[in-house]
Amino acid sequence: MRLTTLLRTTASAAVVGAVTFGFAGIASAQETSVDDIIVTAQKREQNLQDVPIVVTTLSQETLQDAGVEDIKDLQILTPGMTVTSTSSETSTTARIRGVGTVGDNPGLESSVGVVIDGVYRSRNSVGFGDLGELQRIEVLKGPQGTLFGKNTSAGVINIITEQPSFTPGYNAEVTVGNYGARSLNGSVTGPLSDTLAMRLYAGISERDGFYDVDTGDGPRTATDDANKNYWTVRGQLLWLPSDTASFRFIADYTKRDEYCCVGVQTRVGPTFPFVDGLSTGTGQTPPATGFGPVPFSRLAYANRGTGQRIEDRGVSLEANFDMPSMNATLTSLTSWRNWTGDQGQDIDYTGADIAYRFDNGEYGYGVENLTQEFRLAGATDRLDWLVGFFATQEDISRADAWNYGADYTPFLSFLLTAALNRANPGWAVSPGSIGCFTAVGQTVPGLNNCLTTGGAANGGGIGFTLGAGYADTYEQESTSIALFTNNTFRVTDQFDITLGLRYTMDEKSVEGQQMNVNGNGNTCNAALANAGAIGGLLGATASTILGNFCLPWSNSAFNNRSVSESFDDSELSGTIKASYRLNDSVMTYVSYARGYKSFGYNLDRVQSGITPTASLLFPSEVVDSYEAGVKMTLLNRSLLLNATYFDQTFEDFQLNTFLGTAFVVESIPELTSRGVDADFLWFTPIEGLSLSGGVTYTEAQFGNFVAADLANPANFPQLSLLPGATASFAPEWSGSASLNFDRSFGNGMRGGFALSAKYMSEYNTGSDLLPTKQQDAFTMVNGRISIGTEDERWMLDIWAQNLTDEEYIQVAYNAPLQGSAFQSTVQPNGTFYNPALDTQTIDAFLGAPRTYGMTLRVRY
């Protein structure tokens, strides 16, 4: 039975791929049917149209024709989904219906879960990379915690790869493209015995960077950035010892050695002259008139290296045992994974030597994860039932560091004295005034004289440490155990009710050591020792001046500071669904689901004023989701047409945002996401032609809140644009469409073409919702032309990604220490933001430009 099931599944996958793209060599257009599309969204094989969940299912051929190599590419085929990356590939975030978790901090778990061959990847970054040989990808929208566990409050990306075959096969693929792109991969599969089959896949890929880099003061030598250089290998064994048992073992390893990622200026504020004066060359893009947006450019400025090294390895074993007496199957899935990444960073993203991190292991993190899942699933005439147990042990280690460049002290002096000069033009704007504030025993007259002379008199105090400033380490351990059940009762032949429950118990602890090195913190102490003189001369401005001497990376209060916290929590989540089939072609359904995203720790330096925050803990996030939908199969079952209304309310939404000097995590009291998902797939009467697409309308809005509603009310000014506003990365309209044509030309040859497009209306790319971070509406188009033999022994593709070379930004952020957008008092519009007073320089990580090339595939 087990071998028969395997062969049936393999055949089904081949047919689905064929019908999705009309491959004439396998199935003609007249033979295709929506009924052939199988998904496992409820941990059992079902026809897509029988599942009361919003699912976008994409076959291997669909993904290949759209140029999908990793999850980031997947968004062109999925309306309502965005995927972005920031300072490295380790900082990648997926969002569905405007909801997701920013990926810069490993203390935060994902809102959109990534599952590969049944193994949950606990961080988005751990799940992003080369996906190898795919059978299909299923994107499940809305909370999926009952079966897929915690941290799937916004949805799940469920990836199913090709498994070993008992039919021998070999394939290879070579690609060349612009930006020096070149890749080679291949696989072999076949039997090792009558009961044992194997599959081995390996690939290597290289590409030059998308950015040009002005290296300014150096010592960086690389003049491009965001390159690609990785290799991966994945081996599998499938053992069928009997008709009732199967074992699938997978081992994989991936290594990346790249440099990524620099930001570019999209708006440059009045701090430009200081960067310009301290760097070789201009140091950054010159400002536009009135400090408006600067022209789109892929020229970045970075004097320090951005090397990144990533290693990802793991093993998994899935065992299935059929139990004919119960008409049930027992499944055991065991996995171990170890992911590590470190990177270098030019913190200020300018040509001036202000601040940086080395790529020597001082900045990065690692995730080691062990999981065990048991599921027992069966069926009777009226009941499909499933019970399960899941446990995971996870260890996270994070290292964080800060290095002062030679320009840090004079740059900060420029910033402080320029602000003072606006209040008193008699005080000079100078790179040499830091010592005025740190001179031993400074007096009010002495400070005044020192500021007047630009530090030439009555100064002599210390500046900031040159080189290493701090070296922090964090170790987080977490244990999670869950019991779950999911059951569908067929009340009548037309009416089904599904009830699912999951009880999750989480326990986490963190141990950290925050350590200033190389005398770092002495400058902060020296300024604090002169607080009387500084306050006597500057009045209320003194607190701002002292705050700049004691920023998180220079604050003496963090020296040799230990962090030790632990917390446990439990949550009952679940779902109830009711579906009614009006006839063989139309099914309607309604559902309620409650999702849960675990609490965590902000593994970073966090302070209020100049006092370190006592606790790094942030609470769990929960969501209540309601859906009502219809699934229709029309035109002799050749047309799929689905639509769903959704209404989701998130409580204690975990927002990770950069405030210009540090990342903070705040729990926003409420975020709602409401709208409609619609999609279609049509196998047209024209042989080899299929059309598919979808549209998502979303209103994702924060609820109204005030400072007292936040864990740290002092964070409210920088978040004051959020109450009642549309969330970031939540376009109101998002639509995708694909056209695929493939058929025989005769004489043993065949060919075709594919076009895929994605439209997104305007949205904000910054978690603080500054207007200067707005992305205009845009459309992405990918295309491919194919020709080859009828039996696919060889195929040649000519392809292009971002065919129209659309210029867009992924994420915009506040350039560190380069201006300020929010004020210290409430402005006339009721927030702390006043566009007339906004001096903040904005940097951004850009979307990929147009790429094109050729791919030759051969197989036997």
Side-chain angles (χ1 to χ4, degrees):
M1 178 180 176
R2 179 59 51 186
L3 179 59
T4 302
T5 301
L6 170 68
L7 295 176
R8 186 186 71 243
T9 302
T10 305
S12 175
V15 171
V16 171
V19 299
T20 306
F21 279 87
F23 281 167
I26 303 177
S28 68
Q30 290 78 11
E31 297 171 340
T32 60
S33 169
V34 171
D35 297 330
D36 293 310
I37 303 177
I38 305 299
V39 297
T40 53
Q42 298 191 113
K43 295 294 180 85
R44 64 175 76 239
E45 289 190 359
Q46 294 176 280
N47 180 269
L48 173 64
Q49 296 302 82
D50 293 332
V51 180
I53 299 173
V54 179
V55 183
T56 299
T57 182
L58 306 163
S59 73
Q60 181 187 61
E61 289 79 10
T62 305
L63 300 166
Q64 177 179 286
D65 278 17
V68 175
E69 295 181 352
D70 58 26
I71 300 174
K72 196 171 180 181
D73 298 327
L74 183 64
Q75 57 188 322
I76 196 168
L77 297 171
T78 311
M81 175 180 170
T82 61
V83 184
T84 58
S85 60
T86 54
S87 58
S88 83
E89 293 298 328
T90 68
S91 302
T92 302
T93 300
R95 300 172 179 86
I96 292 178
R97 296 172 174 170
V99 180
T101 302
V102 178
D104 296 279
N105 192 315
L108 284 92
E109 302 187 39
S110 307
S111 294
V112 178
V114 177
V115 178
I116 302 179
D117 290 325
V119 176
Y120 170 68
R121 307 297 178 93
S122 62
R123 302 295 184 279
N124 275 179
S125 57
V126 178
F128 285 78
D130 182 82
L131 299 176
E133 296 178 293
L134 297 173
Q135 186 184 106
R136 68 180 184 276
I137 294 179
E138 301 167 358
V139 180
L140 286 60
K141 299 182 180 180
Q144 306 296 328
T146 303
L147 288 172
F148 289 93
K150 63 173 184 172
N151 309 323
T152 56
S153 54
V156 168
I157 302 172
N158 186 28
I159 300 166
I160 300 95
T161 69
E162 287 280 15
Q163 57 184 324
S165 172
F166 283 87
T167 301
Y170 311 86
N171 69 69
E173 182 178 298
V174 60
T175 295
V176 294
N178 63 334
Y179 290 97
R182 50 208 178 273
S183 66
L184 175 66
N185 60 66
S187 71
V188 57
T189 188
L192 299 177
S193 71
D194 291 343
T195 60
L196 183 65
M198 58 78 68
R199 180 179 289 272
L200 179 65
Y201 168 85
I204 185 171
S205 183
E206 297 180 357
R207 191 205 63 229
D208 298 335
F210 292 145
Y211 295 89
D212 295 321
V213 179
D214 184 321
T215 59
D217 292 351
R220 178 186 177 122
T221 58
T223 56
D224 68 330
D225 199 84
N227 75 326
K228 181 185 291 186
N229 181 24
Y230 72 85
W231 63 271
T232 184
V233 62
R234 179 182 177 89
Q236 301 184 62
L237 292 174
L238 178 63
W239 183 37
L240 306 176
S242 69
D243 289 341
T244 59
S246 71
F247 298 84
R248 185 186 183 190
F249 175 77
I250 304 174
D252 65 89
Y253 178 84
T254 299
K255 184 173 183 178
R256 307 180 77 107
D257 189 356
E258 303 164 336
Y259 35 95
C260 180
C261 298
V262 292
V264 303
Q265 287 79 46
T266 59
R267 183 211 186 208
V268 180
T271 58
F272 170 77
F274 311 141
V275 174
D276 184 21
L278 292 171
S279 63
T280 302
T282 62
Q284 63 183 175
T285 303
T289 302
F291 302 115
V294 299
F296 185 94
S297 172
R298 295 190 182 277
L299 176 62
Y301 295 81
N303 70 294
R304 294 287 179 169
T306 52
Q308 67 171 14
R309 291 185 297 271
I310 299 171
E311 289 188 74
D312 183 19
R313 70 198 77 189
V315 294
S316 66
L317 176 64
E318 179 179 341
N320 291 279
F321 304 94
D322 291 336
M323 307 170 71
S325 62
M326 299 175 58
N327 192 28
T329 298
L330 174 65
T331 299
S332 169
L333 182 56
T334 307
S335 75
W336 170 85
R337 299 209 63 82
N338 190 343
W339 184 98
T340 58
D342 67 78
Q343 68 175 111
Q345 187 179 50
D346 188 311
I347 295 174
D348 51 283
Y349 298 103
T350 74
D353 192 25
I354 298 175
Y356 58 95
R357 293 177 170 111
F358 286 116
D359 61 345
N360 59 1
E362 69 174 19
Y363 179 58
Y365 71 93
V367 180
E368 184 175 12
N369 193 284
L370 180 66
T371 68
Q372 176 61 57
E373 182 175 5
F374 293 106
R375 296 193 308 270
L376 181 62
T380 66
D381 290 343
R382 288 292 181 186
L383 179 67
D384 292 338
W385 55 271
L386 181 151
V387 294
F389 167 85
F390 177 81
T392 179
Q393 171 67 47
E394 181 180 76
D395 296 320
I396 297 176
S397 59
R398 180 172 191 253
D400 191 13
W402 177 284
N403 297 278
Y404 293 93
D407 293 331
Y408 182 87
T409 296
F411 181 70
L412 186 62
S413 178
F414 270 134
L415 296 181
L416 299 182
T417 56
L420 295 175
N421 175 265
R422 287 192 289 271
N424 182 352
W427 291 331
V429 178
S430 168
S433 295
I434 290 297
C436 298
F437 301 96
T438 60
V440 176
Q442 185 63 279
T443 64
V444 170
L447 179 58
N448 181 67
N449 190 34
C450 189
L451 292 175
T452 301
T453 61
N458 299 98
I462 61 174
F464 289 87
T465 296
L466 184 62
Y470 73 72
D472 296 349
T473 58
Y474 305 88
E475 298 286 339
Q476 176 181 296
E477 295 183 359
S478 63
T479 301
S480 181
I481 298 174
L483 301 172
F484 59 94
T485 183
N486 195 73
N487 309 282
T488 299
F489 179 61
R490 288 179 286 279
V491 181
T492 68
D493 289 343
Q494 292 79 34
F495 183 44
D496 292 351
I497 293 179
T498 298
L499 175 64
L501 291 172
R502 190 179 189 102
Y503 182 68
T504 303
M505 296 162 284
D506 284 337
E507 181 179 355
K508 292 183 180 180
S509 64
V510 61
E511 301 288 334
Q513 192 69 35
Q514 296 169 328
M515 180 67 73
N516 292 342
V517 298
N518 199 24
N520 184 35
N522 291 341
T523 314
C524 168
N525 284 335
L528 292 176
N530 290 326
I534 296 172
L537 180 66
L538 304 181
T541 308
S543 61
T544 301
I545 297 295
L546 292 172
N548 278 276
F549 276 86
C550 301
L551 292 165
W553 51 82
S554 58
N555 193 340
S556 58
F558 285 105
N559 188 37
N560 200 24
R561 180 174 182 266
S562 297
V563 175
S564 181
E565 298 187 59
S566 62
F567 190 75
D568 62 80
D569 193 13
S570 60
E571 184 72 24
L572 180 65
S573 56
T575 185
I576 183 169
K577 304 181 180 77
S579 61
Y580 186 78
R581 188 167 289 282
L582 299 176
N583 52 51
D584 288 343
S585 299
V586 180
M587 183 189 79
T588 61
Y589 67 92
V590 294
S591 69
Y592 163 78
R594 183 172 178 84
Y596 162 67
K597 180 182 172 187
S598 178
F599 62 92
Y601 297 99
N602 184 6
L603 306 181
D604 207 343
R605 292 191 170 199
V606 184
Q607 63 186 45
S608 179
I610 61 173
T611 302
T613 301
S615 175
L616 302 179
L617 179 72
F618 51 86
S620 301
E621 172 186 306
V622 295
V623 56
D624 292 300
S625 175
Y626 299 87
E627 294 188 1
V630 59
K631 293 195 170 188
M632 296 179 285
T633 308
L634 308 172
L635 299 183
N636 196 28
R637 312 195 72 77
S638 66
L639 173 65
L640 171 157
L641 186 60
N642 300 333
T644 301
Y645 170 78
F646 60 88
D647 188 326
Q648 305 174 138
T649 300
F650 294 79
E651 296 180 5
D652 290 329
F653 176 73
Q654 297 167 1
L655 180 75
N656 185 29
T657 185
F658 182 60
L659 301 184
T661 57
F663 283 96
V664 300
V665 179
E666 267 294 352
S667 294
I668 306 302
E670 182 178 278
L671 169 67
T672 60
S673 176
R674 301 185 178 97
V676 175
D677 278 311
D679 59 271
F680 77 95
L681 170 63
W682 184 27
F683 305 123
T684 73
I686 301 173
E687 182 179 350
L689 177 64
S690 64
L691 305 174
S692 61
V695 62
T696 297
Y697 173 78
T698 305
E699 292 181 355
Q701 292 184 325
F702 292 109
N704 290 312
F705 62 91
V706 296
D709 296 321
L710 300 179
N712 185 353
N715 290 332
F716 183 75
Q718 290 91 346
L719 303 177
S720 61
L721 291 175
L722 272 61
T726 299
S728 59
F729 299 97
E732 188 176 41
W733 290 97
S734 172
S736 64
S738 296
L739 181 155
N740 303 281
F741 178 75
D742 188 288
R743 62 175 298 169
S744 172
F745 292 154
N747 297 319
M749 299 294 291
R750 52 180 290 219
F753 64 90
L755 284 174
S756 302
K758 173 80 172 284
Y759 167 81
M760 288 194 286
S761 60
E762 65 176 5
Y763 58 93
N764 198 292
T765 67
S767 52
D768 57 9
L769 299 183
L770 284 175
T772 48
K773 299 176 181 178
Q774 193 79 359
Q775 168 61 51
D776 293 335
F778 68 100
T779 301
M780 288 278 292
V781 179
N782 294 350
R784 182 175 297 254
I785 299 174
S786 303
I787 188 169
T789 61
E790 187 72 43
D791 58 7
E792 297 186 51
R793 287 296 180 91
W794 68 265
M795 293 292 296
L796 178 65
D797 295 343
I798 301 173
W799 52 266
Q801 307 283 88
N802 190 5
L803 187 62
T804 60
D805 201 19
E806 191 73 33
E807 296 176 343
Y808 66 101
I809 61 175
Q810 293 190 77
V811 179
Y813 59 96
N814 300 342
L817 296 176
Q818 296 167 55
S820 60
F822 295 95
Q823 309 306 309
S824 58
T825 58
V826 176
Q827 300 300 296
N829 61 5
T831 74
F832 286 79
Y833 177 72
N834 186 335
L837 302 177
D838 182 357
T839 62
Q840 181 65 58
T841 291
I842 302 296
D843 291 348
F845 300 105
L846 304 180
R850 175 170 52 219
T851 57
Y852 52 86
M854 296 188 300
T855 298
L856 176 64
R857 300 192 305 274
V858 296
R859 75 176 191 179
Y860 297 95

